[in-house]
Amino acid sequence: MQLSGDLLLTLQEVDERLTKKQQELDQLNAELEGQAEIPVLTERAEHERETSIERRAHLARLEVDADALRERVEELEERIYGGTVTNLRELTAVEEEQTNARRELMQAEESLGPARLAAEDSERAKEDLTTTLAERKKTWAESAPKLRRQSRAAAKEVAVLEEERAQASKNVPADELTLYDQLLFRRHGVAIARVERGVCLACHITLPLKEASRLRRSDAIVTCGNCGRILIPS
Protein backbone atom coordinates (compact mmCIF):
# COMPACT_ATOMS: atom_id res chain seq x y z
CA MET A 1 0.00 0.00 0.00
CA GLN A 2 2.90 2.28 -0.62
CA LEU A 3 1.01 4.61 -3.00
CA SER A 4 -2.06 4.88 -0.76
CA GLY A 5 0.19 5.26 2.24
CA ASP A 6 2.02 8.17 0.67
CA LEU A 7 -1.27 9.81 -0.27
CA LEU A 8 -2.66 9.37 3.23
CA LEU A 9 0.50 10.70 4.82
CA THR A 10 0.29 13.78 2.62
CA LEU A 11 -3.37 14.16 3.51
CA GLN A 12 -2.66 13.91 7.23
CA GLU A 13 0.09 16.52 6.97
CA VAL A 14 -2.36 18.87 5.28
CA ASP A 15 -5.01 18.10 7.91
CA GLU A 16 -2.58 18.86 10.72
CA ARG A 17 -1.86 22.28 9.25
CA LEU A 18 -5.55 22.84 8.54
CA THR A 19 -6.57 21.91 12.09
CA LYS A 20 -3.96 24.20 13.59
CA LYS A 21 -4.98 27.10 11.38
CA GLN A 22 -8.69 26.49 12.02
CA GLN A 23 -8.05 26.54 15.77
CA GLU A 24 -6.20 29.82 15.35
CA LEU A 25 -9.12 31.25 13.38
CA ASP A 26 -11.63 30.02 15.98
CA GLN A 27 -9.60 31.67 18.74
CA LEU A 28 -9.45 34.97 16.86
CA ASN A 29 -13.18 34.87 16.19
CA ALA A 30 -13.85 34.09 19.85
CA GLU A 31 -11.83 37.17 20.82
CA LEU A 32 -13.73 39.24 18.26
CA GLU A 33 -17.01 37.98 19.65
CA GLY A 34 -15.86 39.35 23.00
CA GLN A 35 -17.11 42.67 21.66
CA ALA A 36 -20.57 41.38 22.54
CA GLU A 37 -19.60 41.93 26.18
CA ILE A 38 -19.68 45.70 25.65
CA PRO A 39 -23.43 45.98 24.93
CA VAL A 40 -24.12 43.65 27.85
CA LEU A 41 -21.99 45.77 30.18
CA THR A 42 -23.61 48.93 28.82
CA GLU A 43 -27.07 47.55 29.58
CA ARG A 44 -26.02 46.46 33.06
CA ALA A 45 -24.43 49.84 33.78
CA GLU A 46 -27.58 51.65 32.66
CA HIS A 47 -29.76 49.35 34.75
CA GLU A 48 -27.55 49.95 37.81
CA ARG A 49 -27.63 53.71 37.18
CA GLU A 50 -31.44 53.67 37.16
CA THR A 51 -31.50 51.45 40.24
CA SER A 52 -29.12 53.84 42.02
CA ILE A 53 -31.37 56.79 41.20
CA GLU A 54 -34.44 54.94 42.46
CA ARG A 55 -32.76 53.89 45.70
CA ARG A 56 -31.40 57.36 46.39
CA ALA A 57 -34.86 58.83 45.74
CA HIS A 58 -36.41 56.25 48.06
CA LEU A 59 -33.84 57.11 50.76
CA ALA A 60 -34.53 60.81 50.33
CA ARG A 61 -38.29 60.23 50.80
CA LEU A 62 -37.64 58.21 53.94
CA GLU A 63 -35.39 60.95 55.33
CA VAL A 64 -38.03 63.61 54.62
CA ASP A 65 -40.69 61.47 56.30
CA ALA A 66 -38.43 60.84 59.30
CA ASP A 67 -37.65 64.57 59.65
CA ALA A 68 -41.36 65.38 59.49
CA LEU A 69 -42.09 62.80 62.19
CA ARG A 70 -39.32 64.19 64.42
CA GLU A 71 -40.78 67.66 64.12
CA ARG A 72 -44.23 66.29 64.87
CA VAL A 73 -42.97 64.43 67.95
CA GLU A 74 -41.17 67.55 69.18
CA GLU A 75 -44.28 69.64 68.61
CA LEU A 76 -46.49 67.19 70.51
CA GLU A 77 -43.99 66.94 73.37
CA GLU A 78 -43.91 70.73 73.58
CA ARG A 79 -47.69 70.75 73.89
CA ILE A 80 -47.62 68.02 76.54
CA TYR A 81 -44.82 69.41 78.67
CA GLY A 82 -45.17 73.10 77.85
CA GLY A 83 -48.33 73.57 79.86
CA THR A 84 -50.42 74.77 76.95
CA VAL A 85 -52.84 71.84 77.23
CA THR A 86 -54.81 71.90 80.47
CA ASN A 87 -57.88 69.90 79.56
CA LEU A 88 -57.44 66.27 80.64
CA ARG A 89 -59.28 64.80 77.67
CA GLU A 90 -57.26 66.90 75.23
CA LEU A 91 -54.02 66.03 77.05
CA THR A 92 -54.83 62.32 76.80
CA ALA A 93 -55.49 62.68 73.07
CA VAL A 94 -52.23 64.55 72.53
CA GLU A 95 -50.27 61.94 74.50
CA GLU A 96 -51.84 59.16 72.42
CA GLU A 97 -50.98 61.03 69.22
CA GLN A 98 -47.42 61.55 70.51
CA THR A 99 -47.08 57.81 71.27
CA ASN A 100 -48.23 56.92 67.75
CA ALA A 101 -45.90 59.50 66.22
CA ARG A 102 -42.93 58.15 68.18
CA ARG A 103 -43.78 54.60 67.03
CA GLU A 104 -43.93 55.76 63.42
CA LEU A 105 -40.65 57.63 63.86
CA MET A 106 -38.96 54.53 65.24
CA GLN A 107 -40.15 52.48 62.28
CA ALA A 108 -39.00 55.17 59.86
CA GLU A 109 -35.55 55.35 61.47
CA GLU A 110 -35.23 51.54 61.36
CA SER A 111 -35.89 51.58 57.61
CA LEU A 112 -33.31 54.31 56.99
CA GLY A 113 -30.29 52.04 57.64
CA PRO A 114 -31.12 49.32 55.08
CA ALA A 115 -32.23 51.94 52.55
CA ARG A 116 -28.96 53.85 52.98
CA LEU A 117 -26.90 50.65 52.58
CA ALA A 118 -28.88 49.66 49.49
CA ALA A 119 -28.29 53.08 47.94
CA GLU A 120 -24.55 52.94 48.73
CA ASP A 121 -24.24 49.39 47.31
CA SER A 122 -26.01 50.40 44.13
CA GLU A 123 -23.83 53.47 43.74
CA ARG A 124 -20.67 51.38 44.13
CA ALA A 125 -21.95 48.81 41.65
CA LYS A 126 -22.74 51.57 39.17
CA GLU A 127 -19.26 53.07 39.53
CA ASP A 128 -17.58 49.65 39.17
CA LEU A 129 -19.56 48.82 36.03
CA THR A 130 -18.87 52.24 34.55
CA THR A 131 -15.14 51.80 35.13
CA THR A 132 -15.15 48.26 33.72
CA LEU A 133 -17.11 49.37 30.67
CA ALA A 134 -14.66 52.20 29.97
CA GLU A 135 -11.71 49.80 30.26
CA ARG A 136 -13.35 47.24 27.94
CA LYS A 137 -14.13 49.91 25.36
CA LYS A 138 -10.55 51.17 25.44
CA THR A 139 -9.10 47.65 25.15
CA TRP A 140 -11.47 46.80 22.33
CA ALA A 141 -10.66 49.97 20.41
CA GLU A 142 -6.95 49.13 20.64
CA SER A 143 -7.17 45.41 19.77
CA ALA A 144 -10.10 45.13 17.35
CA PRO A 145 -8.37 46.35 14.14
CA LYS A 146 -5.46 43.93 14.62
CA LEU A 147 -7.79 41.03 15.47
CA ARG A 148 -9.88 41.69 12.36
CA ARG A 149 -6.77 41.71 10.16
CA GLN A 150 -5.51 38.49 11.71
CA SER A 151 -8.93 36.85 11.36
CA ARG A 152 -9.20 37.74 7.68
CA ALA A 153 -5.68 36.43 7.02
CA ALA A 154 -6.36 33.19 8.91
CA ALA A 155 -9.65 32.68 7.06
CA LYS A 156 -7.83 32.99 3.73
CA GLU A 157 -5.21 30.47 4.85
CA VAL A 158 -7.95 28.06 5.95
CA ALA A 159 -9.58 28.36 2.53
CA VAL A 160 -6.25 27.62 0.81
CA LEU A 161 -5.64 24.60 3.05
CA GLU A 162 -9.17 23.30 2.45
CA GLU A 163 -8.50 23.42 -1.28
CA GLU A 164 -5.15 21.71 -0.70
CA ARG A 165 -6.94 19.00 1.28
CA ALA A 166 -9.45 18.48 -1.49
CA GLN A 167 -6.58 17.98 -3.94
CA ALA A 168 -4.70 15.68 -1.55
CA SER A 169 -7.74 13.46 -0.97
CA LYS A 170 -8.77 13.32 -4.64
CA ASN A 171 -6.67 10.25 -5.50
CA VAL A 172 -7.20 8.37 -2.23
CA PRO A 173 -9.56 5.36 -2.73
CA ALA A 174 -13.03 6.09 -1.37
CA ASP A 175 -13.04 3.30 1.21
CA GLU A 176 -9.62 4.30 2.53
CA LEU A 177 -10.65 7.95 2.69
CA THR A 178 -13.78 7.03 4.65
CA LEU A 179 -11.72 5.01 7.13
CA TYR A 180 -9.15 7.80 7.37
CA ASP A 181 -11.81 10.45 8.08
CA GLN A 182 -13.40 8.26 10.76
CA LEU A 183 -10.06 7.69 12.45
CA LEU A 184 -9.16 11.35 12.15
CA PHE A 185 -12.25 12.17 14.23
CA ARG A 186 -11.92 9.32 16.73
CA ARG A 187 -8.16 9.64 17.21
CA HIS A 188 -8.02 13.39 17.74
CA GLY A 189 -6.55 14.34 14.39
CA VAL A 190 -4.01 11.52 14.02
CA ALA A 191 -5.27 8.73 11.75
CA ILE A 192 -1.91 7.48 10.44
CA ALA A 193 0.84 5.82 12.46
CA ARG A 194 4.29 4.84 11.30
CA VAL A 195 5.72 1.47 12.29
CA GLU A 196 9.36 1.15 13.25
CA ARG A 197 10.96 -2.16 14.18
CA GLY A 198 7.54 -3.70 14.50
CA VAL A 199 6.26 -1.04 16.94
CA CYS A 200 3.32 1.30 16.29
CA LEU A 201 4.75 4.74 16.98
CA ALA A 202 1.32 6.12 17.94
CA CYS A 203 0.47 3.75 20.78
CA HIS A 204 3.94 2.14 21.21
CA ILE A 205 2.58 -1.40 21.09
CA THR A 206 4.56 -4.14 19.33
CA LEU A 207 2.57 -5.51 16.44
CA PRO A 208 1.80 -9.24 16.27
CA LEU A 209 4.04 -10.98 13.74
CA LYS A 210 1.09 -11.66 11.45
CA GLU A 211 0.18 -7.95 11.33
CA ALA A 212 3.77 -6.91 10.81
CA SER A 213 4.11 -9.40 7.96
CA ARG A 214 0.91 -8.19 6.30
CA LEU A 215 2.15 -4.63 6.52
CA ARG A 216 5.38 -5.50 4.71
CA ARG A 217 3.85 -7.66 2.00
CA SER A 218 0.30 -6.39 1.38
CA ASP A 219 -0.99 -3.43 -0.59
CA ALA A 220 -4.19 -3.43 1.49
CA ILE A 221 -4.87 -1.16 4.44
CA VAL A 222 -3.47 -2.52 7.70
CA THR A 223 -4.64 -1.03 10.98
CA CYS A 224 -3.13 -1.29 14.44
CA GLY A 225 -4.90 -3.89 16.52
CA ASN A 226 -4.49 -1.68 19.59
CA CYS A 227 -5.18 1.95 18.57
CA GLY A 228 -6.90 1.29 15.24
CA ARG A 229 -4.80 3.75 13.24
CA ILE A 230 -3.76 3.07 9.66
CA LEU A 231 -0.22 1.72 9.72
CA ILE A 232 2.54 2.92 7.43
CA PRO A 233 5.95 1.24 7.39
CA SER A 234 8.93 3.52 8.01
Side-chain angles (χ1 to χ4, degrees):
M1 63 168 266
Q2 188 60 39
L3 180 59
S4 292
D6 291 342
L7 293 173
L8 289 171
L9 279 173
T10 299
L11 181 57
Q12 179 161 280
E13 187 274 334
V14 174
D15 276 330
E16 287 173 354
R17 288 189 286 125
L18 176 57
T19 298
K20 184 177 180 180
K21 186 55 63 175
Q22 185 63 60
Q23 289 172 344
E24 179 186 332
L25 177 60
D26 292 344
Q27 178 61 35
L28 289 167
N29 287 338
E31 292 181 41
L32 283 169
E33 288 171 6
Q35 182 189 17
E37 183 188 22
I38 292 177
V40 172
L41 284 173
T42 301
E43 185 177 347
R44 286 176 56 196
E46 178 60 22
H47 173 73
E48 205 59 58
R49 186 186 70 83
E50 292 174 356
T51 301
S52 178
I53 291 172
E54 292 172 1
R55 288 180 176 177
R56 281 190 281 111
H58 177 63
L59 175 61
R61 288 192 296 270
L62 290 178
E63 288 174 337
V64 168
D65 291 344
D67 287 342
L69 284 168
R70 288 190 195 95
E71 291 178 3
R72 182 59 178 160
V73 168
E74 290 174 2
E75 177 187 333
L76 291 170
E77 288 178 347
E78 177 65 25
R79 291 181 63 190
I80 292 170
Y81 302 114
T84 57
V85 179
T86 56
N87 182 282
L88 182 59
R89 181 177 294 179
E90 183 182 356
L91 181 61
T92 301
V94 172
E95 287 176 340
E96 184 177 349
E97 185 179 354
Q98 185 252 15
T99 299
N100 292 334
R102 287 186 65 83
R103 185 183 302 112
E104 290 178 18
L105 175 60
M106 185 180 298
Q107 292 171 348
E109 288 177 336
E110 286 177 353
S111 65
L112 279 174
R116 188 171 290 112
L117 286 175
E120 291 172 354
D121 289 345
S122 190
E123 185 66 21
R124 277 194 299 271
K126 182 199 73 172
E127 290 174 357
D128 289 345
L129 279 169
T130 301
T131 300
T132 300
L133 179 58
E135 291 173 350
R136 293 290 190 278
K137 285 182 176 179
K138 181 180 178 182
T139 300
W140 177 252
E142 293 171 349
S143 63
K146 181 180 178 181
L147 285 173
R148 290 194 185 99
R149 288 194 301 272
Q150 291 175 330
S151 177
R152 287 193 295 268
K156 289 179 181 178
E157 291 183 56
V158 166
V160 169
L161 287 168
E162 286 174 342
E163 177 59 29
E164 190 175 336
R165 187 190 197 277
Q167 292 298 319
S169 62
K170 188 165 57 176
N171 295 321
V172 178
D175 57 339
E176 294 182 11
L177 184 60
T178 298
L179 175 61
Y180 169 84
D181 286 337
Q182 291 172 348
L183 289 169
L184 196 70
F185 175 76
R186 294 204 306 264
R187 294 300 175 183
H188 311 292
V190 181
I192 309 296
R194 285 193 176 275
V195 174
E196 189 172 295
R197 296 180 182 178
V199 176
C200 171
L201 297 184
C203 65
H204 305 290
I205 295 296
T206 300
L207 303 179
L209 290 176
K210 186 176 180 180
E211 255 181 34
S213 178
R214 281 184 57 216
L215 182 62
R216 288 193 301 270
R217 299 178 183 179
S218 175
D219 290 335
I221 285 283
V222 178
T223 57
C224 177
N226 181 61
C227 67
R229 292 181 173 89
I230 298 170
L231 298 175
I232 304 292
S234 294

